[in-house]
Structure formats: C-alpha cells, structure tokens
C-alpha cells in the first residue's frame, strides 16, 4: 500500500493513499434531501406557539438535518364577528388579556397582553398575508418576520394587525415594507393564505400549535400543543430507520448574530442551564460590548448592542 502522498503507484496510477477497487465511479454531489417534512401549523397571534419556541427551536437546530420545515398559517382569527373560544372563555377581545397573561407566566415567555384592552388585534389575517408575501417573494425571510411579529405583539404590545406596525417590522428585516404590506392587501396574497388553510385542513389540524411530521411513505405523526424535546425526537424517530444523531448546539454568539431578542427561557432550554445561571453564562459567552441585558415583564432578555 502506498502511504506516501508524494509517491505515485505505477501500477494503479494513484498518488497518495489509494485503496479503491474501482477507479471509475459515479458520484452524486447533490446534497441529500431530507425525506421527512415537518409541517408547522401556526398563527402570528397564537400565544401557545410563542410559548413553545424555546423547545421547538432547539429541536429544529439539533435535528433539522433530518427534515425540511414548512410553516403553514392557520387563520386563528378571521375577525371578532361570530368568534368564540368557549374552552378558554374567550368571546371578545378583552377576554384574551387574562389568557395571554396566564400563558406567559406559565411558560416564562414574556407576554403583556394589555393591547386586548386598549387596541385589540381585529384579525390575524393581515400579518399572515404579509408572511405569505415574504415567503413567496423573499424566501428565507419569512421565519424572521414571524419571529419579529411575535416579539412585537406579545412582548411590546404592538398591534400587528395595523399596516404601519407591519411596515416597521418588514423594514427592520431590510426588506421593502411599504411594497410588501401593499402586496399583502391584494387578492393574490389572500389566495396564498387560502392554500395554507386548505393544507392545514388536509393535515387534520384543529388547533395551534400543531406539528405534523410526514415521511416519504406518506406516514405521519401529529403533535398538538406544548411538548418536550424528547417528545419531538421520539416522534421523528418513528418516521425513519436512521438512528438520530443530534447536531451540535450553536454557540450563543451564533444565535445573537440572527438579530432577534433572546429571552432567558430560550437560553435556558437551548443550553440546559438554570434560570439563575443565565446572566453569568451570557457574560462568559459574549464580549461585553456586543450585547445589552434588559428586563421586561419580570423576565431577562438580551439584545445585540
């Protein structure tokens, strides 16, 4: 065996280490496409969707190599005329405030909710249509939009049903806010939204958040509501014979580079640390001049400096 990379084997014609039995081979350089699709039925004003972000984001980061993610808008609130969520005692906007506060305190993802008393969202369709326009015209930015929209409505009490609020959020992503929000008011944007509604119905979704993982044999697993990381992993494993190997968790600077806020609960879940460890962990992981620590609704968060 030739083990010297500077010496060529006259018999095989190979320079370096050569143990191949065949010297003419077909090689597929196309990246392997995941055979599983994770459909995530959600809505910009779904409080439980905001609550599961820490766990769901860790799952996607560690196991996303096994599936592709497709976000679907579910149409939680078409309008208040005729709307009623009797299970949660919600029949009018003011009823949502207490429910949101309860969800935020339970899951420790900050939710203010007082906008339901002062300036309630009339429909979740406007931000959902903006999501669909970005998804179709600026693919790759729709996830960031949804995240920023949720920060705006849940944490900072901004009405994401209003045009100017949506324009501000889209502009903050470096996209043309006026153009995108104008396009979201056209019939074509509603058509895109209706396609999501149809797909959600086909998947048998009845509430949010709902995750449906489907493999290439069209077999699927559905998970509704808040679940643990292990629940997600177990569901994924049911759809593949490949032993699941989690990817490395990204370092905190990598998460910060994405530009959105990071709340204490997200840091705790991502790095398996306790609440009281977050500040010291952050200080050790990030240069002091690169971030700011703030508090809102009794919860710590960090933002890029």
């Amino acid at each position: 065996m030739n083990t010297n990379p500077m010496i060529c084997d006259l018999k095989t014609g190979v320079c370096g280490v050569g143990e191949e039995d065949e010297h003419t081979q077909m090689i597929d350089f196309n990246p392997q496409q995941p055979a599983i699709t994770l459909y995530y039925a959600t809505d910009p004003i779904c409080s439980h969707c905001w609550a599961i972000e820490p766990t769901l984001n860790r799952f996607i980061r560690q196991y996303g190599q096994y599936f592709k993610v497709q976000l679907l808008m579910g149409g939680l609130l078409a309008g208040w005329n005729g709307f009623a969520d009797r299970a949660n005692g919600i029949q009018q906007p003011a009823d949502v405030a207490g429910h949101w506060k309860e969800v935020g305190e339970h899951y420790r993802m900050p939710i203010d909710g007082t906008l339901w008393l002062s300036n309630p969202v009339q429909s979740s369709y406007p931000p959902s249509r903006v999501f669909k326009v970005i998804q179709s015209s600026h693919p790759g930015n729709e996830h960031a939009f949804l995240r920023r929209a949720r920060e705006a409505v849940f944490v900072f009490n901004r009405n994401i049903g209003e045009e100017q609020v949506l324009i501000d959020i889209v502009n903050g992503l470096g996209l043309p806010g006026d153009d995108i929000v104008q396009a979201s008011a056209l019939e074509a944007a509603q058509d895109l939204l209706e396609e999501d509604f149809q797909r959600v119905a086909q998947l048998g979704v009845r509430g949010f958040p709902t995750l449906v993982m489907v493999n290439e044999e069209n077999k699927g697993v559905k998970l509704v509501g808040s679940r643990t990381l292990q629940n997600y992993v177990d569901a994924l494993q049911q759809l593949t014979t490949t032993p699941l190997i989690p990817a490395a968790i990204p370092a905190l600077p990598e998460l910060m580079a994405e530009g959105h806020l990071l709340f204490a609960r997200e840091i705790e879940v991502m790095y398996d640390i306790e609440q009281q460890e977050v500040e010291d962990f952050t200080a050790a992981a990030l240069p002091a001049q690169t971030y700011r620590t703030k508090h809102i609704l009794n919860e710590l968060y960090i933002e890029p400096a």
Side-chain angles (χ1 to χ4, degrees):
M1 180 180 67
N2 170 25
T3 59
N4 188 334
M6 295 301 294
I7 298 177
C8 297
D9 190 312
L10 295 178
K11 182 179 179 181
T12 63
V14 175
C15 293
V17 179
E19 295 183 337
E20 300 287 356
D21 293 330
E22 299 179 11
H23 300 296
T24 302
Q25 304 177 44
M26 289 295 295
I27 301 175
D28 185 0
F29 285 102
N30 292 313
Q32 187 71 28
Q33 294 299 314
I36 296 171
T37 300
L38 186 156
Y39 296 98
Y40 178 25
T42 185
D43 188 275
I45 64 168
C46 166
S47 57
H48 284 277
C49 300
W50 174 241
I52 72 167
E53 284 217 356
T55 302
L56 181 58
N57 286 340
R58 176 165 173 178
F59 172 64
I60 291 173
R61 289 179 185 279
Q62 287 202 279
Y63 296 92
Q65 67 270 30
Y66 296 104
F67 54 82
K68 56 185 177 181
V69 179
Q70 185 170 338
L71 267 68
L72 300 170
M73 295 292 101
L76 181 60
L77 180 65
W80 282 102
N81 185 22
F83 177 87
D85 179 1
R86 292 182 176 84
N88 289 303
I90 297 172
Q91 293 183 297
Q92 58 183 337
D95 297 332
V96 182
H99 173 66
W100 272 24
K101 181 180 180 182
E102 183 180 26
V103 172
E105 290 176 348
H106 180 78
Y107 291 99
R108 290 194 40 243
M109 283 294 281
I111 301 178
D112 186 312
T114 56
L115 86 163
W116 292 108
L117 305 175
S118 58
N119 182 27
V121 176
Q122 296 301 315
S123 171
S124 65
Y125 283 23
S128 297
R129 286 194 294 264
V130 171
F131 174 92
K132 294 305 296 182
V133 170
I134 293 174
Q135 188 180 54
S136 98
S137 61
H138 300 274
N141 292 280
E142 64 272 20
H143 292 253
F145 166 76
L146 185 58
R147 170 65 190 218
R148 302 290 182 88
R150 283 178 169 154
E151 288 178 3
V153 69
F154 291 118
V155 184
F156 298 107
N157 231 31
R158 302 188 72 192
N159 187 335
I160 59 172
E162 296 178 345
E163 282 191 6
Q164 190 56 56
V165 173
L166 290 170
I167 290 170
D168 291 345
I169 293 170
V170 178
N171 283 341
L173 297 174
L175 301 176
D178 285 302
D179 293 345
I180 288 174
V181 173
Q182 286 178 16
S184 74
L186 301 178
E187 186 176 348
Q190 184 63 33
D191 290 342
L192 291 173
L193 192 55
E194 294 290 343
E195 290 176 5
D196 272 16
F197 295 166
Q198 292 175 14
R199 187 58 174 146
V200 165
Q202 290 169 354
L203 291 168
V205 174
R206 302 184 185 279
F208 313 110
T210 295
L211 273 67
V212 182
M213 301 184 213
V214 181
N215 65 16
E216 57 189 349
E217 298 172 355
N218 216 29
K219 295 179 180 178
V221 179
K222 181 164 66 175
L223 300 99
V224 182
S226 175
R227 298 299 185 97
T228 67
L229 176 63
Q230 193 60 50
N231 289 153
Y232 293 137
V233 175
D234 290 344
L236 178 61
Q237 187 65 81
Q238 291 182 52
L239 299 175
T240 178
T241 57
T242 302
L244 301 178
I245 301 174
I249 294 173
L252 190 56
E254 187 177 336
L255 296 187
M256 287 295 293
E258 295 177 1
H260 60 73
L261 307 181
L262 280 175
F263 294 92
R265 185 62 185 156
E266 296 181 286
I267 298 171
E268 294 161 33
V269 170
M270 185 66 72
Y271 298 103
D272 290 322
I273 62 174
E274 299 297 326
Q275 182 178 1
Q276 63 270 20
E277 299 176 293
V278 170
E279 288 194 74
D280 288 343
F281 177 85
T282 300
L286 298 172
Q289 69 274 15
T290 64
Y291 74 98
R292 291 184 291 264
T293 299
K294 295 186 177 182
H295 289 81
I296 193 166
L297 302 171
N298 299 316
E299 288 293 340
L300 177 147
Y301 70 92
I302 58 175
E303 65 179 5

